[in-house]
Amino acid sequence: MTGAQIVVETLIEQGTEVVFGYPGGAVLNLYDELYKSRDRIKHVLSAHEQGAAHAGDGYARATGKVGVVFATSGPGATNLVTGIANAYLDSVPVVFITGNVPCSLIGRDSFQEVDITGVTLPVVKHSYFVKDVTKLADTIREAFQIAKSGRPGPVLIDIPKDVQIADCEFENKEILPELSKPRYNDEQIEKALEMIKAARRPYIFVGGGVIIGEAEKEVAELADKLDAPIGTSMMGLSAIPASSHRKLGMVGMHGIYSSTVVKNKADLVIALGCRFSDRATGNRAAYLKNSKIIHIDVDAAEIDKNIGVDLGIVGDVKEVLAKLLCKIESAKHAEWWCEIDKIKEYERENSAKQEGFSPFKIIEKVNEYTEADTPIATDVGQHQMWVAQHYNFETPKTLITSGGLGTMGFGMGAAIGACVATGKRTVLFTGDGSFGMNLNEMATAVSQNLPLVVVLMNNGVLGMVRQWQTMFYQKHYSETTLERKTDYVKLTEAFGGKGFLVDNIDDLDAALKVAFNTDGPTLIDCRIDCDERVLPMIPAGGTVNDLVIN
Amino acid sequence: MKKFIISMLVSNHFGVLTRISSMFGRRGFNIDSLVVGETEDKRYSRMTITMTGQDQNRDQIIKQLEKLHDVHVVKEMVPESIVSRELILIKVQTNSETRREIMDAVNIFRNTIIDFTPTSLCILVTGESGKLDAFIELMKPYGILELCRTGTVSLDRGTTTIKD
């Protein structure tokens, strides 16, 4: 078998059904094998490698399976870099396979030659440069194993063209088991039980690790037993249904007021599968100074990395919680809930009023059309925060958003990936800034005839940056007013999709009715005010005392 | 700030050194010295890194190293229970007047002369960092032509190994 055949056969062996990618000189052999195996493995052709990278990422987020992305050498490979970094920051399992020039041309600055393993070194969980065809199959198997073991992440495999051509024996093998992880001990479990027993104002903080580790049920059970409220990071949002009375919502820079304030009044915070990013904590020195923290995470390096904790437990969050749950006694904290209710009441009375065609109303309206398991992708910026604050996520893995890297332009590719992965109608909330970055992928959505509803919150400005300029830069709107004359309806139609322009709720409703009954992609250009702000807000490096609510 | 010595067994193939050293840079930790070489088992190289930082930096670095796929064992080498050595080759300018003095110093420090010309001596010095620093200071007045220094290598005392 040739190296290229081995790649395709090993991918199929590993359970790969879809590859996202873009062909080129150094992957011609790979694509030739894809062609021959097109009835066994599907390929989704993107408009740009970045789109393919985000699609592989969105696919993995929506399913928990390993995403696979192909690109050619040189520019094909470098176009992946943002997508790789994005997957790395949010711990998403994606295997990126790039072609490279033949070994005899390596190191000679040959045409379309780039040392992509070198370029991506800081943003991969692991990477390989395969020089020997006999090692190719096992390398791919190991890449899958690493990508999904413990804390997942992207793995890159760079394969020179001559290795794709070279011949070697191949036979299928069993899928490798997950790599063993560093583990907690019984003493830590006992200590956690003691701390939990002593708590009068417990608070459960849920990160993305709960979704990756599929520990949602255990978390809900823990909250019930402890009679505790639940807050989440943005990455953890879809772990707990919005309909749960225990869920207070997202915390952090643009967190829900009650969730942030309640967290700050807790005497015990149980943090699950999270990494205490600066956007979630604000001022680290002042963070949760009055409460004890138990931090449970599968990645040992996250314990005490950003926030010093009273007890760190390294392990699979689902497994650790199961262990705790069989020993925890049920508690009631009526006083604590009384206090929480007061905070929520204050929040209701003081939150910014929603007037006109506001982002919250748009989200509410879309929410009426979506189902509990509809994948919701976002781009990055104000619209993303509004969705995180206001959309009612009911099912795990339904929020597909760029958390750590904050990648504008993530949305189109990611939504395509999620849509292909789930086969479900997918919604992308985006802004005119983010959409402009990778709108070329509308072509992909049309070619694939994907039921994708793009809700474009169009305010004519780079809203999030503008908001900072308003609040902290004396309204110097430096290069954030777009002054574009883009007609998004015509643009979408030019791509072959359906477009709508709306500036009020009734028209939005009518457009959604059509969009949700259309086979292919649609875009709804929602005109909103450029001075809408994302509130509440804790300015960067601030504390709960700096919280701006209205 | 404290000095730490971290020893590792890592895969013996290309790219591993870059992967490890770049992680230090990216996480904002300084490497004071780094030594790497093949072990008795060709599959592994042993790497010894000395660094300066707070206890928390050390803990974080060890955990980050343990995450790397090519790193198999990480161990902090505690000064009380290890032997450590560094090595320098130092080329000193000499003439008939200074040669005797320099050779006395070489003997007192139990160093070895490995190259001898009418105008220079190349001296091999091994020992712990302090001894090396002292010898370098001593040679400065004679004129050091050039100097080459390895980082620290260390092993546990007794039968204990990095795998224990």
Side-chain angles (χ1 to χ4, degrees):
Chain A
M1 235 182 234
T2 65
Q5 267 175 299
I6 288 172
V7 172
V8 172
E9 287 304 326
T10 315
L11 289 179
I12 292 169
E13 169 199 289
Q14 296 295 312
T16 305
E17 289 162 355
V18 189
V19 175
F20 300 90
Y22 202 98
V27 284
L28 268 164
N29 294 75
L30 272 182
Y31 274 83
D32 196 48
E33 289 310 322
L34 274 182
Y35 177 83
K36 293 178 196 158
S37 299
R38 61 190 183 279
D39 55 335
R40 295 195 295 154
I41 192 163
K42 181 183 160 81
H43 181 270
V44 175
L45 173 65
S46 66
H48 183 283
E49 287 88 351
Q50 188 185 350
H54 293 322
D57 178 323
Y59 176 94
R61 286 180 206 242
T63 57
K65 292 197 278 186
V66 178
V68 180
V69 179
F70 281 3
T72 192
S73 63
T78 54
N79 281 344
L80 295 176
V81 174
T82 302
I84 297 173
N86 191 75
Y88 181 71
L89 266 284
D90 286 346
S91 314
V92 184
V94 186
V95 169
F96 292 91
I97 297 179
T98 50
N100 210 329
V101 299
C103 288
S104 59
L105 291 179
I106 293 272
R108 296 170 191 276
D109 300 324
S110 307
F111 177 67
Q112 293 194 330
E113 181 196 355
V114 153
D115 168 20
I116 195 63
T117 50
V119 170
T120 56
L121 196 66
V123 292
V124 292
K125 189 170 174 192
H126 196 58
S127 53
Y128 301 89
F129 177 75
V130 185
K131 282 188 287 193
D132 177 358
V133 70
T134 63
K135 304 233 167 78
L136 185 54
D138 282 342
T139 300
I140 296 170
R141 291 173 183 130
E142 196 176 86
F144 271 76
Q145 182 189 36
I146 293 172
K148 65 187 175 194
S149 289
R151 177 181 186 170
V155 179
L156 176 94
I157 309 172
D158 194 25
I159 312 173
K161 189 166 182 175
D162 54 328
V163 177
Q164 297 171 37
I165 295 167
D167 268 308
C168 143
E169 295 283 308
F170 174 84
E171 59 183 37
N172 283 117
K173 286 190 188 168
E174 292 274 311
I175 290 183
L176 296 167
E178 283 207 14
L179 292 161
S180 65
K181 308 151 196 167
R183 283 168 57 91
Y184 57 93
N185 56 42
D186 290 343
E187 214 173 293
Q188 291 168 329
I189 299 287
E190 288 307 317
K191 190 172 176 208
L193 289 167
E194 263 170 49
M195 289 171 73
I196 287 169
K197 201 168 179 186
R200 294 293 165 266
R201 297 189 305 280
Y203 180 102
I204 296 171
F205 179 44
V206 171
V210 169
I211 298 171
I212 295 168
E214 298 184 336
E216 300 91 353
K217 275 204 186 88
E218 286 77 4
V219 174
E221 201 182 320
L222 178 73
D224 283 342
K225 275 201 162 174
L226 300 187
D227 196 20
I230 305 173
T232 75
S233 68
M234 184 174 71
M235 297 307 296
L237 255 178
S238 71
I240 307 297
S243 50
S244 160
H245 74 287
R246 299 204 176 275
K247 187 178 187 179
L248 298 177
M250 180 174 76
V251 298
M253 180 175 276
H254 292 297
I256 302 297
Y257 172 85
S258 53
S259 197
T260 306
V261 172
V262 168
K263 186 180 187 189
N264 214 50
K265 287 186 186 295
D267 64 354
L268 175 68
V269 172
I270 305 173
L272 305 169
C274 66
R275 60 185 181 89
F276 296 109
S277 100
D278 58 299
R279 282 299 191 265
T281 64
N283 184 341
R284 278 192 287 136
Y287 184 71
L288 294 181
K289 274 292 158 245
N290 302 317
S291 45
K292 299 249 183 261
I293 306 175
I294 300 175
H295 186 190
I296 304 175
D297 199 279
V298 75
D299 181 358
E302 285 306 333
I303 311 289
D304 291 330
K305 185 182 86 177
N306 290 339
I307 298 290
V309 297
D310 300 276
L311 174 64
I313 299 181
V314 179
D316 178 77
V317 66
K318 189 181 178 86
E319 183 190 317
V320 174
L321 285 184
K323 203 138 205 184
L324 286 172
L325 280 169
C326 60
K327 293 191 180 167
I328 288 175
E329 291 160 32
S330 291
K332 283 281 164 228
H333 299 293
E335 266 180 54
W336 178 220
W337 278 98
C338 216
E339 209 175 322
I340 294 169
D341 288 337
K342 274 188 201 143
I343 293 165
K344 284 169 90 169
E345 198 180 307
Y346 177 87
E347 176 179 44
R348 265 193 299 278
E349 284 165 6
N350 290 280
S351 292
K353 300 280 170 284
Q354 295 300 311
E355 282 155 15
F357 192 47
S358 77
F360 283 6
K361 287 184 186 165
I362 294 171
I363 293 164
E364 254 173 37
K365 182 51 78 182
V366 175
N367 218 156
E368 286 173 20
Y369 279 85
T370 54
E371 290 173 19
D373 60 355
T374 302
I376 304 295
T378 80
D379 258 302
V380 166
Q382 286 187 311
H383 71 272
Q384 177 190 29
M385 292 300 116
W386 287 321
V387 170
Q389 292 175 336
H390 223 66
Y391 185 86
N392 293 320
F393 292 97
E394 292 292 331
T395 311
K397 303 193 181 88
T398 48
L399 172 60
I400 316 289
T401 194
S402 166
L405 196 66
T407 311
M408 288 174 70
F410 169 71
M412 273 308 289
I416 287 168
C419 192
V420 168
T422 59
K424 289 176 191 147
R425 183 173 303 282
T426 299
V427 174
L428 167 66
F429 285 99
T430 184
D432 47 333
S434 285
F435 185 66
M437 287 202 175
N438 278 329
L439 58 81
N440 49 3
E441 297 304 339
M442 184 59 90
T444 310
V446 169
S447 319
Q448 300 288 326
N449 198 32
L450 298 175
L452 175 63
V453 180
V454 179
V455 179
L456 176 71
M457 297 210 190
N458 184 355
N459 55 7
V461 296
L462 301 176
M464 185 60 94
V465 180
R466 180 185 165 94
Q467 172 169 342
W468 284 53
Q469 289 169 335
T470 306
M471 295 172 81
F472 315 116
Y473 291 83
Q474 299 83 45
K475 300 191 180 180
H476 298 160
Y477 296 124
S478 176
E479 300 301 318
T480 52
T481 309
L482 294 174
E483 315 271 11
R484 289 178 186 158
K485 300 281 178 274
T486 314
D487 181 331
Y488 290 98
V489 174
K490 279 191 191 153
L491 179 78
T492 308
E493 283 167 1
F495 274 118
K498 250 186 222 170
F500 308 87
L501 172 66
V502 302
D503 60 3
N504 62 74
I505 283 292
D506 293 339
D507 288 354
L508 173 63
D509 189 61
L512 284 167
K513 205 166 278 171
V514 181
F516 273 76
N517 284 298
T518 300
D519 282 343
T522 52
L523 178 142
I524 307 172
D525 177 359
C526 303
R527 295 296 167 91
I528 61 168
D529 192 273
C530 67
D531 286 318
E532 289 280 2
R533 282 186 296 169
V534 181
L535 293 172
M537 177 174 189
I538 300 175
T543 70
V544 68
N545 300 323
D546 308 312
L547 203 152
V548 183
I549 185 168
N550 59 26
Chain B
M1 300 285 258
K2 290 194 229 167
K3 237 182 161 58
F4 302 108
I5 304 175
I6 295 168
S7 244
M8 280 172 271
L9 285 184
V10 305
S11 299
N12 181 18
H13 56 72
F14 84 101
V16 176
L17 175 60
T18 321
R19 215 176 274 282
I20 291 168
S21 59
S22 82
M23 192 275 290
F24 273 80
R26 170 162 96 243
R27 300 264 170 203
F29 301 119
N30 273 325
I31 294 176
D32 296 333
S33 78
L34 185 156
V35 182
V36 60
E38 205 173 88
T39 64
E40 73 284 3
D41 181 341
K42 281 197 186 320
R43 291 174 300 167
Y44 304 111
S45 294
R46 179 148 175 160
M47 197 177 280
T48 311
I49 291 178
T50 58
M51 60 171 282
T52 315
Q54 314 285 356
D55 287 336
Q56 204 222 338
N57 299 149
R58 172 205 49 197
D59 295 347
Q60 179 61 210
I61 266 302
I62 289 176
K63 289 193 278 192
Q64 292 293 350
L65 286 168
E66 283 171 338
K67 278 171 68 168
L68 297 175
H69 190 67
D70 288 323
V71 175
H72 304 287
V73 187
V74 185
K75 186 175 187 182
E76 189 198 353
M77 305 299 278
V78 190
E80 300 81 61
S81 56
I82 58 167
V83 285
S84 298
R85 289 291 181 273
E86 270 181 68
L87 180 152
I88 51 173
L89 298 180
I90 180 166
K91 194 186 290 174
V92 187
Q93 213 165 14
T94 60
N95 53 42
S96 53
E97 283 169 29
T98 58
R99 189 174 302 118
R100 194 64 249 168
E101 264 178 46
I102 295 172
M103 286 173 68
D104 284 347
V106 168
N107 286 332
I108 291 164
F109 274 79
R110 295 201 194 105
N111 300 332
T112 315
I113 292 168
I114 55 174
D115 186 50
F116 191 113
T117 72
T119 52
S120 73
L121 285 174
C122 183
I123 306 159
L124 162 73
V125 189
T126 56
E128 295 194 44
S129 296
K131 172 186 165 184
L132 272 55
D133 293 338
F135 190 76
I136 292 168
E137 279 307 308
L138 196 62
M139 290 299 109
K140 272 186 183 165
Y142 301 106
I144 297 174
L145 292 171
E146 62 178 344
L147 180 156
C148 184
R149 183 169 186 163
T150 69
T152 302
V153 289
S154 51
L155 290 178
D156 286 292
R157 289 180 186 277
T159 52
T160 310
T161 72
I162 190 168
K163 290 171 189 160
D164 296 313

